[in-house]
Amino acid sequence: MALEEGKDSGVTFRINPSRAFPLRLLQFSLVFLALGLGFSVFSMYTTRYFKIQNVVPIAQTILEQTPIKPCFEEPISLESWIRPPSKLMHTMNDSELLWRASLVPRIKSYPFKRVPKIAFMFLTKGPLPMAPLWERFFKGNEGRYSIYIHSMPSYDPDFPPSSVFYKRQIPSQVAEWGRMSMCEAERRLLANALLDISNEWFILLSEACIPLNNFSIVYRYISRSRYSFMGSFDEPGPYGRGRYNGNMAPVVNLTDWRKGSQWFEINRVLAVKIVEDTTYYPKFEEFCRPACYVDEHYFQTMLSIETPHLLANRSLTYVDWSRGGAHPATFGKGDTDKDFFKKITEGKTCLYNNQPTTLCFLFARKFAPSALEPLLELASDVLGF
């Protein structure tokens, strides 16, 4: 009994295990939370301190790589397809350009009001000394013509914004006289002009060319003709058939071989045929080299084979070969008077739409820069503008 009472009288304090666990969990959570907040603050501070300069470049990189769409996109419409290029300079190479220019609508009628234009294509080395005369020729005829200039790549034109020649330069390459690079330059001019669907007729000119009539006469003459004006004739002798290379057969046979002036006027159908050609080009590029002057034979022979019924077989550009030599006569200040133009325009007849006419030439060459002053003085009385 005493023993039992002694046991009862010894007091022992114990903590219930079920109450200790929540207290430890709470302590652990508070420590973890404090460590997490500390790490976050440290990370933010470190990022701002060490990497703040990288934020802008990274953001710029992301923006550059992410395509940004405008708030308003122009809906695809007919206008977007037929609108001529706003800038003539582009990044297409020749293969891409010729392919693009060869795309042709299969339906002949146009579902919009189309005003046919004449594309005046200037193949030059550099400046256009006759530009003031041409400015007067084009004045008042906006919407009925386009201008394209192919020059040496190193030439930087300085036409003022008010000039019709301002920013009419196309991407150009070196063109050597008598070589295929000359025809490539002509194809380049045609291809760029074909990108404007309103261009219906194409005239090749040089910096030494001038118009012999006012714009209205030129436009009416060309637009009403059923034929294109490219000389293409069979010339026996060393300067005609003598330039033919038998390796061109059977694509081009001796009986197909033609010669004609480099300076032409053709319609849109023939322009497309020239830029899309992959049959005749390789033969002429390989087998027509000086003393075979390809610019006098390539287009003339090809079109004579493909579309002889569309050629008037003459040029609209007057050239004087009477002085002999490899190049035609050049006319300067002393040559340019009223009698000179009478010699060009009077006493000549030719066929126009299979009928005789005395108006045979619309342009003339070669004029030296010194001829500009008398030409401007004679323009209103003799040339009609």
Side-chain angles (χ1 to χ4, degrees):
M1 184 67 179
L3 182 58
E4 291 179 1
E5 289 178 355
K7 288 182 179 179
D8 291 339
S9 61
V11 180
T12 303
F13 294 94
R14 296 182 181 178
I15 299 175
N16 193 329
S18 63
R19 295 180 181 177
F21 180 75
L23 179 59
R24 292 177 182 176
L25 180 61
L26 178 60
Q27 292 174 342
F28 178 78
S29 300
L30 290 173
V31 171
F32 182 80
L33 180 60
L35 289 174
L37 288 173
F39 181 78
S40 299
V41 172
F42 177 78
S43 299
M44 292 173 62
Y45 175 79
T46 304
T47 301
R48 290 190 178 187
Y49 184 79
F50 291 103
K51 298 184 179 181
I52 188 67
Q53 296 180 353
N54 295 332
V55 173
V56 173
I58 293 173
Q60 289 179 342
T61 302
I62 294 174
L63 289 174
E64 290 173 357
Q65 295 177 351
T66 304
I68 301 176
K69 295 183 178 180
C71 297
F72 173 77
E73 290 187 357
E74 180 183 357
I76 297 177
S77 64
L78 181 62
E79 178 65 23
S80 64
W81 286 96
I82 66 176
R83 186 189 304 122
S86 58
K87 296 181 180 179
L88 295 188
M89 299 303 292
H90 54 74
T91 59
M92 289 185 285
N93 60 36
D94 279 356
S95 297
E96 295 167 339
L97 174 65
L98 296 176
W99 178 86
R100 173 63 183 84
S102 67
L103 301 179
V104 179
R106 304 295 294 176
I107 299 177
K108 302 303 180 183
S109 59
Y110 294 91
F112 58 93
K113 184 178 180 180
R114 177 178 182 260
V115 178
K117 296 190 295 186
I118 299 176
F120 291 82
M121 308 180 302
F122 290 86
L123 180 58
T124 77
K125 294 180 180 178
L128 290 173
M130 297 297 148
L133 186 68
W134 283 103
E135 296 271 5
R136 289 176 58 170
F137 171 79
F138 288 120
K139 187 176 181 180
N141 294 284
E142 293 75 14
R144 296 201 291 170
Y145 68 86
S146 301
I147 296 174
Y148 302 85
I149 303 172
H150 186 294
S151 64
M152 296 295 285
S154 59
Y155 173 64
D156 185 17
D158 58 352
F159 297 109
S162 59
S163 172
V164 296
F165 297 104
Y166 181 66
K167 290 188 176 181
R168 301 310 299 175
Q169 195 99 348
I170 68 168
S172 306
Q173 298 182 29
V174 174
E176 298 179 89
W177 177 73
R179 297 188 177 273
M180 183 54 88
S181 59
M182 183 69 72
C183 291
E184 290 169 350
E186 296 171 13
R187 295 179 85 194
R188 207 172 289 123
L189 279 164
L190 286 169
N192 279 277
L194 281 167
L195 299 183
D196 185 345
I197 199 168
S198 293
N199 287 331
E200 184 64 27
W201 307 283
F202 306 79
I203 302 173
L204 183 67
L205 303 160
S206 76
E207 69 268 33
C209 286
I210 67 165
L212 295 176
N213 297 276
N214 62 44
F215 186 91
S216 296
I217 291 177
V218 171
Y219 189 90
R220 184 166 60 250
Y221 195 96
I222 291 175
S223 63
R224 294 182 179 181
S225 174
R226 298 196 298 268
Y227 303 97
S228 290
F229 295 91
M230 177 177 288
S232 179
F233 51 91
D234 182 6
E235 180 181 311
Y239 303 115
R241 288 197 174 200
R243 295 175 176 175
Y244 173 76
N245 188 320
N247 290 312
M248 302 180 77
V251 175
V252 178
N253 298 307
L254 179 60
T255 54
D256 300 321
W257 189 251
R258 294 294 182 268
K259 180 181 178 180
S261 171
Q262 174 185 5
W263 314 103
F264 59 77
E265 179 279 322
I266 57 176
N267 64 22
R268 193 173 183 90
V269 172
L270 299 189
V272 171
K273 283 191 171 294
I274 288 175
V275 303
E276 72 179 5
D277 172 50
T278 57
T279 301
Y280 302 94
Y281 175 88
K283 294 295 184 181
F284 279 90
E285 198 278 333
E286 184 174 2
F287 300 115
C288 184
R289 301 184 179 186
C292 176
Y293 301 108
V294 68
D295 53 275
E296 295 180 353
H297 297 281
Y298 173 27
F299 301 154
Q300 297 82 349
T301 299
M302 182 189 75
L303 295 181
S304 178
I305 295 173
E306 296 290 326
T307 55
H309 59 289
L310 297 180
L311 300 180
N313 199 21
R314 64 182 179 91
S315 174
L316 293 178
T317 301
Y318 172 84
V319 181
D320 183 4
W321 290 96
S322 63
R323 301 179 188 180
H327 300 281
T330 298
F331 309 111
K333 185 175 183 178
D335 302 305
T336 310
D337 54 25
K338 290 185 178 181
D339 291 336
F340 170 80
F341 287 101
K342 286 182 180 180
K343 184 179 69 172
I344 295 177
T345 57
E346 294 181 359
K348 292 180 174 60
T349 58
C350 56
L351 292 179
Y352 177 77
N353 288 338
N354 300 321
Q355 298 297 320
T357 180
T358 57
L359 181 57
C360 299
F361 298 108
L362 301 182
F363 311 97
R365 69 184 303 269
K366 300 170 58 175
F367 288 86
S370 62
L372 178 61
E373 182 180 349
L375 284 171
L376 291 173
E377 294 175 356
L378 292 169
S380 58
D381 292 336
V382 177
L383 306 179
F385 58 89

